[in-house]
Amino acid sequence: MSLPPEKAAELKQLIHQQLSKMDVHGRIREILAETIREELAPDQQHLSTEDLIKALRRRGIIDDVMKELNFVTNIDPTRRYLYLQVLGGKAFLEHLQEPEPLPGQVCSTFTLCLHYRNQRFRSKPVPCACEPDFHDGFLLEVHRESLGTESKVSVGILNIKLEMYPPLNQMLSQEVVNTQLALERQKTAEKERLFLVYAKQWWREYLQIRPSHNSRLVKIFAQDENGVNRPVCSYVKPLRAGRLLDTPRQAARFVNVLGYERAPVIGGGGKQEQWCTLLAFLCRNKGDCEDHANLLCSLLLGYGLEAFVCVGTKAKGVPHAWVMTCGTDGTITFWESLTGHRYIHKPTNPDEPPLAEQPKPLYPYRTIGCVFNHQMFLGNCQPSDAVETCVFDLNDESKWKPMSEEAIKSVCAPGATTSLPPFPPLCASTIDASVTSNEIEMQLRLLVSEHRKDLGLTTVWEDQLSYLLSPALASYEFERTTSISAGNEEFQDAIRRAVPDGHTFKGFPIHFVYRNARRAFATCLRSPFCEEIICCRGDQVRLAVRVRVFTYPESACAVWIMFACKYRSVL
């Protein structure tokens, strides 16, 4: 059961007290003796746990205990809780031919991720199968207005059981419930219909400004993972990270270390248009550029910045999404959510003489069609959609055509419609950075030693040299987060003292966002400089490797690895 440790302890104590009160232990002993006498052959005196449970259930002992247990005593009577049990699954047809895992074999697993209001849960992983063996329970605190989104894409069927604690004194009839649900769906459908009518009218007006606007990337709706078309403004909402992230730049680093994966394309054609809701993105721990941009924009809005998602193109006309913030002094900053890089936008003046020196843009963006956040949507209606000449005065309607904020609010504000999925809170990392760093380091040492042994080389590790690499790795992560370089002088001084005269030192740092040591080692060997260190030959060769894992919310991590060697130079 996914309960906090203190709640689990309370539940165990409650059950123990009830068992003692009802003398269940004595009754079990009686049934055990009776079952052995009546149901087992004389030569078979071993009674399995399953046989005993069946006997207890047959005689009603388990039912009696469950009826007598008073769960309400440890649950706030002024609140309502829903106990959701997942009792297996079926019809997961993608895994119809999944082979049975062998003992000790690493296999693919299913994990259920639940989000209900501000509560999030994860089930224990179970092996992938057509009928996965889910057996988990989750205690959800019930709030008003709890109706959520409905998926149109089925991947399988879950068997679930729901119980309400404390029990309800009065039950609503099925007719009342159905009528209320139908009314809410009708109101939602009407709001969405009116917004669609308005969006079509806005688009017609936008095209009348300039026919060439038809080719610009103005994205008003996007399809989510459930096949539902939603206004793009609904993918963004101010998101506070609590104490998990301290600064906007740290938030950008967190989004950057989440995995990048392009939406899969089925059949021919260009880029698949699919955006993920925030819960799906966080649970998968990877997504496309739009998913990263939406999350980063939401976090920056949570920090009180005026942030927008930009939709446009990169080099060679590749569609792309990034984030923009507008400072109170008019400074426009671009945030690349896939790398964490920041760029200050200084527009070039197309009316300047050809010989006039123009600032060369450092950012990779070429064109921009629209910008949006949770309250605003603006289409670029300047003569050119080139980013370098674009003026980001969003209040100038001759340059940016706005949508009605009221129209956006009618379908994108929290609670506006029942079809909008709520934004989940971020979860703290479950990774122990020190333990994981040490495990990966030990695995890499073994891989390097085996690789050198295959080449006929011996391996001597120097622990002190490995330790001296730590400050460099910390400095690299600090620079990625803050864009400020610090601590490199001390590292260089320590290395100079550790390497004797006449010896050569070589080091190679590399960064990953996954924790697979074998995969990281294979990637390192593809670098000629790193391979030169790992396969170093010479006199008095000493090798070193240091791993440092930096953890972020949602169990995302940045993994820094540094290989180094020192050897005596022989002319």
Side-chain angles (χ1 to χ4, degrees), residues 237-477:
K237 175 188 171 184
L239 181 63
R240 291 169 58 176
R243 299 189 183 277
L244 300 179
L245 298 167
D246 295 322
T247 67
R249 296 194 186 190
Q250 193 178 21
R253 178 59 172 156
F254 156 58
V255 176
N256 155 224
V257 298
L258 290 171
Y260 170 64
E261 179 182 76
R262 293 191 63 180
V265 178
I266 301 175
K271 184 177 183 292
Q272 176 74 21
E273 284 293 345
Q274 178 185 298
W275 294 17
C276 281
T277 56
L278 182 57
L279 179 65
F281 178 37
L282 294 177
C283 292
R284 294 176 67 238
N285 242 229
K286 57 186 176 182
D288 213 331
C289 61
E290 294 88 358
D291 307 321
H292 286 78
N294 290 334
L295 174 56
L296 178 56
C297 183
S298 298
L299 288 166
L300 297 183
L301 288 168
Y303 281 110
L305 301 180
E306 187 180 12
F308 297 86
V309 175
C310 303
V311 179
T313 63
K314 295 193 298 184
K316 298 181 181 178
V318 176
H320 191 61
W322 65 98
V323 179
M324 171 185 78
T325 53
C326 305
T328 53
D329 60 354
T331 301
I332 301 298
T333 306
F334 293 147
W335 302 64
E336 177 47 61
S337 56
L338 295 180
T339 63
H341 294 160
R342 300 164 66 253
Y343 309 95
I344 303 299
H345 173 65
K346 295 180 180 178
T348 59
N349 187 350
D351 298 327
E352 287 281 345
L355 297 179
E357 186 175 350
Q358 298 277 13
K360 187 176 180 181
L362 300 175
Y363 45 77
Y365 319 120
R366 294 294 178 263
T367 66
I368 182 168
C370 64
V371 301
F372 67 88
N373 60 20
H374 63 303
Q375 295 176 327
M376 302 172 64
F377 183 96
L378 302 110
N380 183 5
C381 54
Q382 298 171 61
S384 170
D385 62 352
V387 176
E388 60 182 355
T389 61
C390 190
V391 176
F392 288 92
D393 181 1
L394 302 182
N395 295 317
D396 187 346
E397 294 192 11
S398 68
K399 294 180 171 60
W400 295 92
K401 179 173 173 57
M403 271 194 171
S404 163
E405 291 188 26
E406 284 300 315
I408 293 171
K409 186 178 179 181
S410 70
V411 291
C412 296
T417 69
T418 58
S419 64
L420 287 180
F423 266 47
L426 295 182
C427 289
S429 177
T430 58
I431 299 171
D432 186 316
S434 299
V435 171
T436 307
S437 299
N438 193 57
E439 288 175 351
I440 297 174
E441 191 171 305
M442 293 301 103
Q443 292 171 22
L444 287 174
R445 282 197 176 200
L446 183 61
L447 290 168
V448 170
S449 298
E450 289 176 348
H451 185 75
R452 288 176 61 83
K453 184 178 179 181
D454 292 342
L455 298 175
L457 301 172
T458 58
T459 304
V460 181
W461 296 100
E462 186 171 315
D463 291 340
Q464 176 62 12
L465 184 60
S466 296
Y467 181 72
L468 295 183
L469 303 178
S470 296
L473 302 184
S475 177
Y476 298 148
E477 182 62 19

Side-chain angles (χ1 to χ4, degrees), residues 431-448 461 512-521 545-550 557-563:
I431 299 171
D432 186 316
S434 299
V435 171
T436 307
S437 299
N438 193 57
E439 288 175 351
I440 297 174
E441 191 171 305
M442 293 301 103
Q443 292 171 22
L444 287 174
R445 282 197 176 200
L446 183 61
L447 290 168
V448 170
W461 296 100
F512 299 98
V513 295
Y514 52 81
R515 306 188 301 278
N516 187 319
R518 190 172 293 276
R519 179 181 169 192
F521 182 66
V545 62
R546 193 65 170 173
V547 176
R548 181 73 166 84
V549 175
F550 297 87
C557 63
V559 179
W560 283 96
I561 301 172
M562 191 168 188
F563 291 100

